Amino acid sequence: MDHNPSARQQPADRPPQPHPEPELRPGNGPGDTPQRRTAVIAGIGHWLPPGVLTNAELGARVGTSAAWLHSRTGIDSRHVVAPGVVTADLAVEAGRQALRSAGADQVDAVIVATVTPDRICPPTAPEVAARLGHKGVAAFDLGAACSGFLYGLAVADGLIATRTAERILLVGAETMTSLVDPLDRATSAIFADGAGAVVVRTGEPGEQGAIGPVVLGSDGAGSDLIAVPAGGSRRLASTTPDGRAEQYLSVSGPEVFRHAVKRMAAASQHAAALAGWDLADIDRVVAHQANAHILAAVGRKLRIPRGRMATNIQQVGNTSAASIPILLDQDAAEGRVKPGDRILLTAFGAGLTWAATTLTWPALPTTP
C-alpha cells in the first residue's frame, strides 16, 4: 500500500485534490491568514551498538594512555559496530524505537541524515523505509555532517508547512568508525557509531514539541578542515597502500575548535532571539557532542551554567548527525529533560555547516 497521501487516487468526477482544505477555526477562517503548520516532535528513540571500545583498549592499540585520550577529548569509551553492521542497521533500530514512541504505524517520508551511507549509490533512506514497512513513501538522505539532524528538522518542517507530508521519520545515523584510521589516535579517540531518530507530525507553532525557527549556515571556504579527501568524484578511492590515508577522515583541530565555538554560539543566540527567548531562561542546551572542550567553550560563551549543558560524550563519543537525537532521548528517559522545558539545539560540522533551533519539550512515552 502506498502511504504517500499525495499519491492516493481521487474520484473521477472531480479534479485532483492533493490535500484537504484546512480546518476552519479562529484565525483561520475566510479572509484570515491561515494558521501556519509546523513540525512537532511526536516520538523519539535511539540505538547504540552493543560493542564498546574503552580508552584502555584504544590506548593499547595506538600507543598512548587512557588518561591522555580523556584529557584531549573528554571521552572514556565509545560504541562501535561489529563487522558487517552498517548505517542502515542502526537507522532501522533507532527508527523503530521512535515510531514505537510516537505510536505511529505510518509515515509519509523518511529522511536519513548521514555522512556514512551504506553505499555512495543508492541512498540509504529508501532501504531504511522499506525495512520499517514504509515502501512507497518519499525517502532520501541528507548530508550536512554533524549539523545533519538539525538541517533535517528544517527540511521536515518545510515538508509539513507545504502540506507535502503529515508525519515524517527523521533519523541521524552514523558508522563513523568506517571513516577513521584505527591507528590515528586523534580521530579514533573521538568518533563513534550510533543512531537517533524522531517522528514529527503536523502541528501548530506554540504547542509543546513544535520546532522553532531553524538557523542554518555554511562556509565552504573551510571545506578542507574536516574532510575525507578520496572517495567522491573529485578523487576516487585508492586501493594502493600509499592512498589509504586519503580514505580516512582528517580534522584540523585548532581551526575546527575556533569555528565550532564561534558558529554554534552565534547560531544559538540567533535561534533564541527568533523564539523570543532570553538565554538565561533556557532549561537545557543540547549541542552536538563534538568534543568536551568545545562544549565547555560554547557554554562559557553563552553564559549557560554547566548543569544546563547536556552531555553524554564521556560514554558515547562523537556520533556526528546522530549525537543530538541520541542525547535528547537519553536525557528525556532519565528525567533530565521534562515536559515544558525550554530546549536549545545547536550543531557544527564539516562543510563547514552549522545550525540551531528551539523547542519546548513535549510529554512523550520513553522507549526501553
Side-chain angles (χ1 to χ4, degrees):
M1 179 178 178
D2 193 334
H3 298 305
N4 187 342
S6 64
R8 294 172 185 153
Q9 292 185 345
Q10 303 292 331
D13 60 350
R14 64 186 176 91
Q17 299 290 324
H19 298 288
E21 290 299 318
E23 176 188 355
L24 294 179
R25 56 184 178 271
N28 194 23
D32 293 329
T33 301
Q35 178 72 38
R36 182 186 183 276
R37 294 153 52 100
T38 192
V40 176
I41 291 181
I44 190 168
H46 78 278
W47 182 260
L48 293 169
V52 174
L53 178 64
T54 66
N55 279 0
E57 294 166 322
L58 178 59
R61 187 173 76 194
V62 300
T64 192
S65 69
W68 185 92
L69 293 171
H70 176 85
S71 70
R72 295 304 179 95
T73 65
I75 301 169
D76 288 331
S77 61
R78 69 282 298 149
H79 289 260
V80 297
V81 295
V85 176
V86 295
T87 296
D89 298 326
L90 304 182
V92 167
E93 294 295 340
R96 185 174 291 120
Q97 296 287 342
L99 289 164
R100 185 180 303 156
S101 170
D105 58 3
Q106 289 189 35
V107 294
D108 305 312
V110 174
I111 304 171
V112 175
T114 186
V115 291
T116 56
D118 292 358
R119 294 171 285 183
I120 293 178
C121 182
T124 300
E127 179 183 337
V128 172
R131 287 172 60 180
L132 288 170
H134 303 299
K135 292 182 180 180
V137 306
F140 57 93
D141 291 1
L142 187 155
C146 302
S147 305
F149 180 76
L150 296 189
Y151 267 68
L153 280 181
V155 171
D157 190 47
L159 292 174
I160 283 174
T162 57
R163 301 180 180 273
T164 303
E166 299 289 331
R167 185 182 286 114
I168 299 167
L169 174 64
L170 168 62
V171 187
E174 305 283 16
T175 49
M176 292 302 295
T177 54
S178 67
L179 293 185
V180 300
D181 182 347
L183 299 180
D184 176 16
R185 65 181 184 177
T187 54
S188 61
I190 294 173
F191 293 101
D193 306 327
V198 294
V199 173
V200 295
R201 60 165 175 82
T202 300
E204 298 180 3
E207 67 174 289
Q208 288 190 354
I211 304 303
V214 185
V215 175
L216 303 174
S218 73
D219 181 4
S223 62
D224 290 335
L225 295 180
I226 310 170
V228 179
S233 63
R234 179 175 295 184
R235 191 177 306 171
L236 297 178
S238 172
T239 58
T240 65
D242 291 342
R244 287 188 72 239
E246 295 185 342
Q247 299 175 49
Y248 292 129
L249 185 68
S250 66
V251 179
S252 299
E255 279 295 290
V256 168
F257 182 96
R258 181 175 66 83
H259 278 284
V261 174
K262 175 183 176 182
R263 302 301 191 180
M264 279 200 284
S268 296
Q269 291 165 336
H270 191 184
L274 289 174
W277 291 4
D278 190 304
L279 287 171
D281 296 329
I282 292 172
D283 297 296
R284 198 77 166 159
V285 175
V286 180
H288 162 57
Q289 301 293 285
N291 173 299
H293 301 297
I294 289 174
L295 293 171
V298 170
R300 289 193 298 270
K301 199 168 186 67
L302 295 176
R303 297 183 179 180
I304 300 292
R306 186 174 178 180
R308 296 184 187 178
M309 293 289 295
T311 183
N312 64 1
I313 196 168
Q314 187 172 351
Q315 290 82 30
V316 176
N318 181 337
T319 55
S320 187
S323 74
I324 286 178
I326 290 172
L327 179 53
L328 267 176
D329 192 30
Q330 289 181 333
D331 262 17
E334 296 169 14
R336 290 187 293 269
V337 167
K338 300 177 291 296
D341 282 354
R342 289 184 169 189
I343 311 297
L344 171 69
L345 310 178
T346 186
F348 172 87
L352 301 169
T353 60
W354 55 88
T357 191
T358 56
L359 74 152
T360 301
W361 192 248
L364 296 176
T366 55
T367 55

